[in-house]
Structures are given as C-alpha cells and as structure tokens.
Amino acid sequence: MRDGKTLLKRRSAPGTPGIRDFLEQYVAKIVVVSGPGAGTGFEIDRERVIVGRGPGVDRAFDDPAMSRQHAAIEFIGAGFRLRDLGSSNGTMLNGAPVQSAELTHGDQFTIGDRKFVLAIEEREREPEAYELKS
C-alpha cells in the first residue's frame, strides 16, 4: 500500500534466523586491515550496510577510488554476502573480482584503496545466576 502511512515489515522465512537472532549470539565486525584508517572498524548491526564515499551510505570513507555507493554487506540467513553496487573500480574478495559472494569469518575484501576483513565472534555470555531462598 502506498498511502504514506503503511510500512512494510520484512520478515525472515519461517525457520530462518533473522539478523536480531544472529546478533544475539555473534558480533560481526568489518575491520580496515590496510589503507587509510587501518585498525579501525565497525559492527554490522542491521540487515544491510552500504559502504562508499557517500552520500546515502551507512559507512562513508574519504576515498576517491570508492564509488558513492560502492558495495553492500547483506545478512543472508546465517551469514553475510558482499555485493558490488555497480562501482567504477569493482570489488575484490580474497584477491578475486566479485559481483556478489558469500562472506565467511576471515574473508578479506577490497573496496577502493582499503582492504577489509570480516570478523565474526561468538558473544560472551555471563552464566545465569539464580538466588535461592530458604
């Protein structure tokens, strides 16, 4: 419905974990490993993160080798996919050019003059503690 008041809510397919379920168990980070800003990074906290030099991106970088909206990192059920958004200079995954490919922990990808790595770590959980009354 296009009345300006109705919102479409995306739902995961039945039995498929959503991004919130995934993020309850894991922390997913994108870290710059070479190029300007090496050592910095950001957490993936939504279903789709667009990277580029902006505007209209979730993570903007001052990098003339990046397109305005260069690539997207998308949640796909139990992991992530890297998708080039029609960039001028392309996107590389583990040294090979890609249009779209699944990402796994430790994969390195190049966007513009920066190389990134995907890091997925299990969240630390505190053991449940119960207070017993006598």
Side-chain angles (χ1 to χ4, degrees), residues 22-88:
F22 182 86
L23 294 177
E24 283 180 13
Q25 288 188 299
Y26 301 98
V27 175
K29 295 179 185 178
I30 302 296
V31 179
V32 181
V33 293
S34 69
T40 62
F42 59 91
E43 281 190 35
I44 299 173
D45 59 356
R46 60 192 79 161
E47 288 187 15
R48 183 175 186 204
V49 175
I50 298 175
V51 177
R53 66 174 202 275
V57 296
D58 299 302
R59 297 293 174 201
F61 294 91
D62 184 16
D63 185 344
M66 279 188 195
S67 293
R68 287 187 183 111
Q69 293 187 0
H70 196 108
I73 298 133
E74 302 168 325
F75 181 72
I76 53 168
F80 296 92
R81 170 180 48 219
L82 174 66
R83 190 164 58 88
D84 186 272
L85 299 175
S87 67
S88 300

Side-chain angles (χ1 to χ4, degrees), residues 83-127:
R83 190 164 58 88
D84 186 272
L85 299 175
S87 67
S88 300
N89 294 325
T91 301
M92 306 281 279
L93 175 60
N94 297 322
V98 296
Q99 286 298 313
S100 180
E102 275 192 47
L103 289 172
T104 58
H105 172 75
D107 278 344
Q108 293 189 7
F109 54 97
T110 304
I111 301 173
D113 289 333
R114 288 173 172 81
K115 185 180 281 187
F116 300 87
V117 67
L118 173 67
I120 299 175
E121 301 168 353
E122 198 165 344
R123 283 197 185 274
E124 290 186 28
R125 297 192 182 273
E126 292 187 27

Side-chain angles (χ1 to χ4, degrees), residues 1-12:
M1 211 169 179
R2 294 183 186 248
D3 61 6
K5 297 177 185 173
T6 305
L7 296 175
L8 174 65
K9 290 188 177 183
R10 290 185 171 183
R11 293 186 195 161
S12 299

